[in-house]
Amino acid sequence: MGLIHKKLFILFALSIYILLWMLVGFFKRSINSQYYQNHILNSNISLVLEYISKLNINLLLIDPIVLDYLFIRRLSLQKRLITFGISNESIPFLDPLFSIQNFSITLSTNIKKKSIDHIFIEYNQQIIHLAILHKQNSYFLIHKNTAQLPIDIKLSYGDTLRILEPFESVLIENKFSFPRNVSHFLWLYNTSEFIECNQNLANHMENKYSLYQNKSQLNLTILPMRTIVNALNNLEKHHWLAGGTLLGWYRHCGLIPYTQDMDFGLFAEEYDDSIRNYFLGNPTIYLWGTLGLVNDSLEFRLFTGSYTFDLFWAYREGNYRWYGYQINRTKYKRKIPLIRRLCSCDLFGYRFSVPCSPINYLNNEYGYEKWKIPLEKNYTWINVKYNSIWNDISWMYAVRLYTREGKVRTDKYAIDWIANQFNYSLKTIPTFLNISSNKSVTFLPVKN
């Protein structure tokens, strides 16, 4: 009987737990529903949404201002225009709206592409803006608006060409959905302006120089590059295609066919060890080595077994930034523009981030328009300047090599990398990772 009683008690407790879980979910939905009714769905907006919801169209709330106020600041907002996204395939289902006399509907069309890009539904001076999501490879594009709008209307989508990647959403009242992770959606929005590579220049590279995309190279690099980008996006660390990788995207609309590595830039002030921890022992692309200190010339070298991928941290100094570049113990600075804004681009069907002014960046790196002539060898960076030499204390912490499993290498190869450029005997790798010790350092005997 004791065993039977225990089983009944467990079943009873499980039933109570399920009931409580369902009640909590119900109250959450009720609270959220009431919250949105009070803060966004005024009578005019609600009426328009009611009509659209009957057409079985999936509405996505993507208005960054509305999302920010509702979910981040938790404040009410009076806004004349609210933006939703709908798929291009949904447009035919909107036909019944055009017969409703009280609705004033304005279309933004692209005659060249024979597409509708934006639909503005106005009712009692309130506007529902439907931004059309045009499927493009692994993402959607929202084109620039061409319709004439009231002067007081400022668009968040339609102001320029923007990109939108698929995201998880939550449905409200069977009327519309919103991003499950609003703060991350807003973070991505800030770099959503879409710019294109120079297709004419890419054609010129093929026609004059016979520089075609290397398929075997692409197969070995795209997955690792996507792994890097997805990781940095999830960690919300701003990054961009840098150096020859940026040049490959803009000049070849791909990669430089003879390149041996890929470069990414990051803001030094955004560094934390979550980046190191993610790539330590990563099965797709692992952290092979770190050069420099967190506050000086930091560089990560990631490796797949076939290609090297470099992450360079860009340090702010006055009206420019700089990456660290090292030869043995000598440090150099590669000056780059400030990079005030980052945009999005397409590289082999995927979204990547690039400086919004790539030409300015490339002119700064290679010289004014000199980068338009492909050079496999003997090219020069015009922005590299001597910095200094690592002192003995810093040098002990400035180089760390790692195994494929994510452990600090302590073998002879790793020790020699430091010891060969060191004025003291070194038999073990210090435990500190790319930071100078706050404690006094006792050196081993001087080399004979």
Side-chain angles (χ1 to χ4, degrees):
M1 291 296 292
L3 181 61
I4 293 175
H5 285 151
K6 285 182 179 179
K7 288 183 176 180
L8 290 174
F9 177 77
I10 292 172
L11 288 173
F12 176 75
L14 181 61
S15 300
I16 294 296
Y17 173 79
I18 293 173
L19 180 61
L20 288 173
W21 178 78
M22 292 175 66
L23 286 172
V24 168
F26 172 77
F27 283 119
K28 278 185 175 180
R29 286 193 297 271
S30 298
I31 292 170
N32 283 339
S33 174
Q34 188 62 42
Y35 181 81
Y36 301 125
Q37 290 285 351
N38 292 340
H39 290 77
I40 182 174
L41 301 183
N42 61 50
S43 59
N44 294 327
I45 295 293
S46 184
L47 186 142
V48 178
L49 290 178
E50 197 70 46
Y51 272 102
I52 297 176
S53 65
K54 293 177 182 178
L55 304 177
N56 295 319
I57 291 175
N58 183 21
L59 281 178
L60 297 172
L61 177 60
I62 59 174
D63 192 308
I65 298 176
V66 173
L67 290 171
D68 179 43
Y69 269 79
L70 288 181
F71 295 93
I72 308 302
R73 307 187 192 194
R74 306 295 292 181
L75 298 173
S76 60
L77 172 68
Q78 297 298 321
K79 193 167 183 282
R80 184 180 175 191
L81 178 145
I82 299 178
T83 299
F84 295 84
I86 66 169
S87 68
N88 186 51
E89 292 75 19
S90 299
I91 294 177
F93 297 102
L94 292 171
D95 284 347
L97 294 179
F98 290 85
S99 61
I100 300 176
Q101 293 184 353
N102 291 333
F103 289 176
S104 174
I105 299 179
T106 302
L107 300 180
S108 171
T109 59
N110 188 318
I111 298 176
K112 185 176 180 180
K113 295 183 178 180
K114 299 180 180 179
S115 66
I116 296 176
D117 297 330
H118 299 272
I119 301 174
F120 301 92
I121 306 169
E122 185 171 1
Y123 176 68
N124 284 347
Q125 296 187 332
Q126 294 289 141
I127 301 174
I128 290 288
H129 168 210
L130 302 180
I132 311 303
L133 310 179
H134 296 280
K135 189 76 170 70
Q136 186 84 15
N137 300 312
S138 64
Y139 52 82
F140 298 96
L141 285 180
I142 299 178
H143 296 155
K144 187 174 182 178
N145 170 58
T146 58
Q148 189 71 33
L149 297 176
I151 193 170
D152 62 316
I153 295 296
K154 304 296 181 185
L155 297 179
S156 299
Y157 285 98
D159 56 332
T160 186
L161 181 63
R162 291 190 180 274
I163 191 172
L164 186 69
E165 289 182 296
F167 56 85
E168 289 188 40
S169 60
V170 178
L171 181 64
I172 291 294
E173 289 285 300
N174 290 320
K175 288 188 173 72
F176 62 87
S177 301
F178 64 90
R180 183 177 295 277
N181 189 337
V182 172
S183 63
H184 188 61
F185 179 88
L186 295 176
W187 186 84
L188 289 172
Y189 171 79
N190 289 329
T191 59
S192 65
E193 181 179 343
F194 188 85
I195 61 176
E196 299 184 85
C197 61
N198 191 325
Q199 190 60 59
N200 291 334
L201 192 53
N203 294 338
H204 181 66
M205 291 297 111
E206 293 184 354
N207 297 333
K208 183 172 182 178
Y209 299 102
S210 299
L211 289 174
Y212 303 95
Q213 290 303 293
N214 183 333
K215 290 185 178 180
S216 61
Q217 177 195 50
L218 304 183
N219 293 334
L220 293 171
T221 55
I222 288 302
L223 177 58
M225 290 178 73
R226 286 299 301 159
T227 301
I228 293 171
V229 168
N230 288 337
L232 296 177
N233 280 340
N234 289 335
L235 295 171
E236 296 191 352
K237 305 298 181 184
H238 292 97
H239 57 279
W240 57 92
L241 301 181
T245 309
L246 179 68
L247 176 58
W249 163 74
Y250 188 77
R251 189 177 71 187
H252 299 263
C253 291
L255 301 175
I256 298 175
Y258 44 80
T259 192
Q260 297 299 312
D261 57 13
M262 309 296 158
D263 299 330
F264 289 85
L266 302 91
F267 294 127
E269 60 269 25
E270 293 185 359
Y271 176 82
D272 62 52
D273 270 347
S274 63
I275 304 172
R276 183 200 304 266
N277 294 336
Y278 182 86
F279 291 108
L280 283 173
N282 188 284
T284 301
I285 178 170
Y286 72 96
L287 181 59
W288 180 88
T290 55
L291 306 177
L293 305 180
V294 170
N295 64 344
D296 186 358
S297 307
L298 187 63
E299 172 192 350
F300 279 13
R301 289 187 181 176
L302 311 179
F303 193 55
T304 61
S306 301
Y307 273 89
T308 299
F309 300 77
D310 291 320
L311 307 185
F312 292 98
W313 271 264
Y315 298 83
R316 174 75 183 263
E317 189 170 310
N319 61 353
Y320 66 89
R321 287 185 179 269
W322 59 273
Y323 305 127
Y325 179 70
Q326 303 172 56
I327 300 178
N328 297 326
R329 279 177 64 165
T330 304
K331 298 185 292 183
Y332 297 87
K333 288 183 178 181
R334 281 175 57 193
K335 291 185 178 181
I336 61 170
L338 274 181
I339 309 181
R340 299 184 185 277
R341 291 193 310 119
L342 291 173
C343 290
S344 294
C345 74
D346 179 289
L347 185 60
F348 305 117
Y350 297 98
R351 171 183 178 168
F352 286 84
S353 295
V354 292
C356 291
S357 302
I359 294 177
N360 181 43
Y361 187 106
L362 294 172
N363 284 338
N364 184 84
E365 281 253 72
Y366 301 101
Y368 182 73
E369 296 198 345
K370 289 183 178 180
W371 48 270
K372 291 185 176 181
I373 301 174
L375 295 173
E376 184 171 357
K377 298 179 180 179
N378 300 322
Y379 64 88
T380 58
W381 290 318
I382 66 166
N383 57 334
V384 176
K385 305 295 182 184
Y386 172 81
N387 183 3
S388 63
I389 295 177
W390 290 111
N391 62 42
D392 283 325
I393 294 177
S394 297
W395 179 245
M396 284 201 301
Y397 304 107
V399 177
R400 290 293 177 272
L401 307 183
Y402 298 90
T403 66
R404 185 180 283 275
E405 292 72 32
K407 305 296 183 182
V408 175
R409 287 181 62 169
T410 57
D411 58 354
K412 184 177 183 301
Y413 180 84
I415 293 174
D416 285 349
W417 189 306
I418 302 173
N420 289 343
Q421 303 294 326
F422 201 40
N423 295 321
Y424 300 85
S425 298
L426 183 71
K427 295 184 179 180
T428 60
I429 299 293
T431 57
F432 292 99
L433 299 178
N434 302 93
I435 57 173
S436 293
S437 171
N438 291 326
K439 300 178 182 179
S440 60
V441 177
T442 302
F443 286 113
L444 295 167
V446 177
K447 288 180 181 177
N448 293 325

